[in-house]
Amino acid sequence: MDVTGMIADERRRMADLVDSLDAGQLDTPSLCGAWSVKEVVGHLVAAVAAPTSTTLLLLVRSGFRIHRANALLAGRMAERPAGELAALLREHAENPFKPPIVGYPGQLTDLQVHGQDIRRPLGLPHDLRPDRLRVSLDFLVGGRAVGFVPKHLPKGLRFETTDLDWSWGRGPLVRGSAEAVMLALTGRSAALTELSGDGVPAVSRV
């Protein structure tokens, strides 16, 4: 399966997850800043289904601050019923839009990381696919992950995964499952206790 096929499948799997959640779960704080689980879903839907006019209007209202506009758009989309959000993810599963700079690997990574932003606080199994994790890990260390990897993530670290034959970099070691390494690379602290190596203290300060 190519990356676009992976993206389509992840959107459908996310739709299935949304359909399985009750109101309390949807209101649970996610790992992603101040967003609730439902607002994270709103962000993922907005990436493929938000009207261009709405996106432009919120971009102007945010003073052309992209992250602020994304937050406003996620909140706006999250006002819709959860069933509608799930239906939109399925309807747009094969949307061919390719974002600039980050491309399709960025879209796949967005789905996988935000999936964990939802699942971990809810205590749900991650169910991530090894081949897709590899695409995201390569993307995160490849120099094109604008907006994904914190700017203050220390340089000169070596990352190794225990469940994939994957490693990158030189320097103090950060070692763990592919999921935990992916979360560490995107600035999530939730999996820090699952990592080992002399580079972990540097990552934990991010």
Side-chain angles (χ1 to χ4, degrees):
M1 185 181 293
D2 64 9
V3 177
T4 56
M6 294 176 181
I7 292 168
D9 187 55
E10 288 295 334
R11 287 181 182 142
R12 293 186 180 104
R13 294 173 71 211
M14 179 59 67
D16 291 343
L17 172 60
V18 174
D19 278 338
S20 75
L21 302 180
D22 61 31
Q25 290 173 310
L26 289 165
D27 287 339
T28 298
S30 75
L31 298 184
C32 188
W35 286 357
S36 68
V37 164
K38 194 177 182 188
E39 286 169 330
V40 173
V41 177
H43 163 72
L44 294 173
V45 173
V48 289
T52 302
S53 57
T54 301
T55 302
L56 291 175
L57 175 62
L58 293 178
L59 187 60
V60 171
R61 286 182 177 176
S62 68
F64 293 93
R65 292 173 292 174
I66 294 176
H67 290 298
R68 176 60 180 158
N70 278 337
L72 291 172
L73 190 55
R76 180 72 62 86
M77 294 299 289
E79 294 172 359
R80 303 186 182 201
E84 183 177 337
L85 296 177
L88 284 168
L89 283 170
R90 292 191 182 95
E91 179 184 346
H92 293 274
E94 298 184 24
N95 188 307
F97 171 67
K98 183 178 182 180
I101 302 176
V102 301
Y104 290 133
Q107 282 194 331
L108 178 63
T109 303
D110 206 40
L111 285 159
Q112 294 196 99
V113 172
H114 284 316
Q116 298 316 98
D117 288 338
I118 291 171
R119 289 178 177 275
R120 278 191 168 248
L122 297 178
L124 299 175
H126 63 69
D127 196 26
L128 292 165
R129 307 295 171 83
D131 55 338
R132 301 174 193 185
L133 279 167
R134 187 182 299 278
V135 172
S136 289
L137 290 170
D138 286 341
F139 164 71
L140 290 170
V141 300
R144 297 175 60 189
V146 178
F148 286 83
V149 177
K151 293 180 180 179
H152 48 289
L153 184 75
K155 308 297 183 184
L157 296 174
R158 177 171 177 79
F159 294 91
E160 293 181 359
T161 58
T162 55
D163 51 352
L164 286 180
D165 182 18
W166 184 92
S167 62
W168 179 87
R170 294 182 179 181
L173 177 65
V174 178
R175 190 170 188 266
S177 69
E179 181 218 1
V181 170
M182 179 180 72
L183 293 179
L185 284 167
T186 53
R188 271 70 172 172
S189 61
L192 287 176
T193 58
E194 301 165 27
L195 299 170
S196 62
D198 54 350
V200 174
V203 173
S204 66
R205 291 192 292 269
V206 174

